[in-house]
Amino acid sequence: MSDTPFGFGLPPEEPESGDEGNKKGNQGGQGGPNPFGFPGMGLPGGAGGPGGADNPFAAMFGSMNPNDLGAAFQQLGQMLSYEGGPVNWDMAKDIARQTVAQGTADGVKDTSVGVAEKSAVEEAVRLADHWLDGVTSLPSGATTAVAWSRAEWVEATLPVWKELVDPVAERVGAAMGSVLPEEMQAMAGPLLGMMRSMGGAMFGQQIGQAVGVLAGEVVGSTDIGLPLGPAGKAALLPLNIESFGKDLGVPADEVRLYLALREAAHARLFAHVPWLRSHLFGAVEGYARGIKVDTSKLEDVVGQLDPSNPEQLQEALQGGMFQPQDTPEQKAALARLETALALVEGWVDAVVHEAAKSRLTSADAMRETMRRRRASGGPAEQTFATLVGLELRPRRLRDASRLWASLTDARGVDGRDGLWEHPDMLPTASDLDDPDGFVHREQLDFSEIDKMLGEAAQKRDQGKQGEQGDGDSDGEGEAKK
């Protein structure tokens, strides 16, 4: 991922062939996430080389031949002319594709998915769905099974990244236009326009690189517990599954089948719990609405900027123009999101293990591997932290899995899965602290409540119609008189 916080660099050159992937370009670093230039968030390094942190444009342009320099200035012109939303998604897509084309750090290049791999994925998902039929009351949620290359994963998931990232980028970007008094904003229009254009490009550059790196590591479309792919598609990445299972000592077909079980289980949940997706995405938007920006530093910086000196603006952005402030709204949204993610991942963990334990000899080992990958903050969590500024890590995964397993023992499969009918029926964070108390608590029957409310509404409507009819009769009587 990019070491440049809320910054930009020359994107990697699109390789002419798979063997030329590392010919040129920005390879990125491994620093911690710092998406918006927030100070104190721990990104080491500078803008691409010795002296880069002090002079990012020197790092960008210093070693280029004239042709490359011309291309770089052309790209800079495109950055400054961008007039879209808070993120330049065209740039994000281009850079993500270029990052994928370069290959991963271990030298593995993206390849097209072959016929045999497609058939293996389709068969794995079909068998996984068959096994899941016996351990959950939720029907299959995957109408098709697809095998994606890394580039195809980028193309298919970018619309959802846009939905997730735009609210936060919009909130942060709004600070750029609010630091000056209204009567001065017209005078400072060119400067503010340039800042918005560069802001969109900087977001696009970092998001593109992060998504491109993530495409080299994900094994499906639900690695972060959110549905990143199109509805109804269970997607696996054969190349990444091969890399994932290389050192596990588990047969390749078992690795693929276990991951297919997880993908198919997620698909069932998101397909047949209609409120779940909006609940999770709404929590992300709630987090964004809670962002408060201390603009005092931004005001100082803007007052000293020279519109004709874009290098000065770049340095200011690298130095951290924004100071985020935790708010009660953010904390509440984050707690809601973390609990929901833990419940999703815990349910998937429980039902997949129930389906696999008697059929796959590697079930226990694969379960522990996936738990550690999720709980330790793997590449998916780190990337999302880079993009949105918060970590989607189900810290209570094991607690949630135990709770779902206990619910299965106490209420059966139907009783356990019936809790997904309404968000108010789900366990809360405090219930994860006391799972036995929740399991043995009297279950609320929301279907009866909904029925009563429906009957009351029907009677109210009938009463209004009756009153309307009486009024019409009276009116006719008065007219006849």
Side-chain angles (χ1 to χ4, degrees):
M1 299 176 200
S2 174
D3 279 346
T4 308
F6 191 23
F8 66 93
L10 187 65
E13 180 177 308
E14 183 76 52
E16 297 177 0
S17 68
D19 296 328
E20 299 292 325
N22 290 316
K23 182 169 60 177
K24 290 180 184 178
N26 186 345
Q27 300 295 325
Q30 300 299 324
N34 188 347
F36 314 129
F38 294 156
M41 293 181 70
L43 263 180
D54 297 328
N55 191 343
F57 273 62
M60 183 188 296
F61 302 139
S63 61
M64 291 183 182
N65 62 45
N67 291 334
D68 289 340
L69 188 60
F73 277 113
Q74 182 180 7
Q75 184 191 8
L76 181 59
Q78 293 172 349
M79 291 171 130
L80 295 176
S81 64
Y82 173 70
E83 296 180 351
V87 178
N88 187 331
W89 285 103
D90 290 336
M91 175 175 286
K93 178 181 175 179
D94 290 343
I95 292 178
R97 291 295 300 265
Q98 292 164 6
T99 303
V100 164
Q102 286 184 322
T104 52
D106 57 4
V108 177
K109 303 287 185 181
D110 191 23
T111 59
S112 299
V113 179
V115 175
E117 291 173 318
K118 291 180 180 178
S119 297
V121 166
E122 290 171 356
E123 176 60 22
V125 172
R126 185 198 64 78
L127 184 55
D129 253 339
H130 176 65
W131 289 0
L132 289 171
D133 284 338
V135 296
T136 174
S137 62
L138 298 180
S140 174
T143 55
T144 57
V146 293
W148 284 339
S149 67
R150 294 166 178 171
E152 288 172 327
W153 183 90
V154 168
E155 294 280 353
T157 63
L158 268 180
V160 180
W161 288 119
K162 185 177 188 298
E163 188 175 351
L164 289 168
V165 173
D166 269 351
V168 179
E170 180 71 41
R171 186 71 186 88
V172 174
M176 291 183 176
S178 64
V179 296
L180 295 177
E182 185 175 350
E183 62 272 13
M184 295 182 61
Q185 289 190 16
M187 298 173 59
L191 172 61
L192 294 176
M194 181 180 70
M195 292 177 68
R196 281 192 292 268
S197 297
M198 293 188 72
M202 291 170 186
F203 271 111
Q205 186 273 343
Q206 188 151 5
I207 290 166
Q209 189 178 21
V211 170
V213 170
L214 183 57
E217 299 168 330
V218 293
V219 295
S221 68
T222 56
D223 279 36
I224 64 172
L226 295 173
L228 294 179
K233 286 190 177 181
L236 296 175
L237 282 71
L239 181 61
N240 291 356
I241 290 176
E242 181 182 353
S243 299
F244 173 79
K246 183 172 57 177
D247 300 322
L248 296 180
V250 176
D253 57 339
E254 287 200 16
V255 174
R256 181 171 54 247
L257 186 49
Y258 190 88
L259 296 176
L261 280 166
R262 289 184 54 84
E263 183 77 5
H266 277 103
R268 289 182 181 229
L269 202 55
F270 286 112
H272 299 292
V273 182
W275 55 265
L276 181 57
R277 187 183 190 277
S278 60
H279 180 75
L280 292 169
F281 282 57
V284 175
E285 292 184 12
Y287 178 88
R289 286 195 301 271
I291 292 177
K292 302 295 183 185
V293 179
D294 180 1
T295 59
S296 58
K297 182 175 182 179
L298 183 57
E299 291 170 355
D300 293 340
V301 172
V302 169
Q304 301 172 18
L305 284 180
D306 178 0
S308 65
N309 186 355
E311 181 178 346
Q312 184 184 19
L313 175 60
Q314 168 71 0
E315 290 174 347
L317 289 166
Q318 282 188 290
M321 294 174 69
F322 305 105
Q323 180 62 53
Q325 299 173 329
D326 287 334
T327 66
E329 294 86 355
Q330 274 184 296
K331 292 177 180 177
L334 183 57
R336 188 166 63 251
L337 183 61
E338 288 183 335
T339 300
L341 283 171
L343 293 173
V344 168
E345 291 297 286
W347 184 88
V348 168
D349 178 80
V351 300
V352 166
H353 186 68
E354 187 65 25
K357 66 181 181 182
S358 62
R359 296 181 173 99
L360 298 179
T361 58
S362 62
D364 289 336
M366 289 294 299
R367 183 188 203 186
E368 187 60 27
T369 297
M370 293 306 298
R371 280 181 166 186
R372 290 180 179 179
R373 176 182 168 96
R374 291 294 281 122
S376 63
E381 287 76 26
Q382 294 167 8
T383 298
F384 199 86
T386 299
L387 300 185
V388 184
L390 58 87
E391 292 186 1
L392 290 185
R393 185 182 305 176
R395 294 177 175 84
R396 307 295 299 276
L397 168 60
R398 293 177 189 268
D399 294 335
S401 182
R402 282 193 293 268
L403 187 148
W404 289 119
S406 297
L407 283 168
T408 307
D409 294 338
R411 303 183 186 180
V413 168
D414 291 341
R416 177 200 67 200
D417 293 346
L419 293 178
W420 291 105
E421 291 179 3
H422 196 283
D424 291 341
M425 296 175 69
L426 286 180
T428 63
S430 60
D431 292 325
L432 295 179
D433 296 326
D434 181 23
D436 290 337
F438 179 84
V439 168
H440 299 294
R441 187 184 310 156
E442 183 178 355
Q443 186 174 354
L444 295 175
D445 188 348
F446 279 83
S447 63
E448 288 298 321
I449 296 176
D450 291 339
K451 181 180 178 181
M452 292 171 60
L453 291 174
E455 291 175 350
Q458 186 177 11
K459 290 180 180 178
R460 184 178 66 248
D461 292 341
Q462 290 173 348
K464 289 182 178 179
Q465 292 174 1
E467 292 175 2
Q468 183 67 35
D470 293 342
D472 292 342
S473 299
D474 294 342
E476 291 174 2
E478 291 294 333
K480 289 179 180 178
K481 290 180 181 179

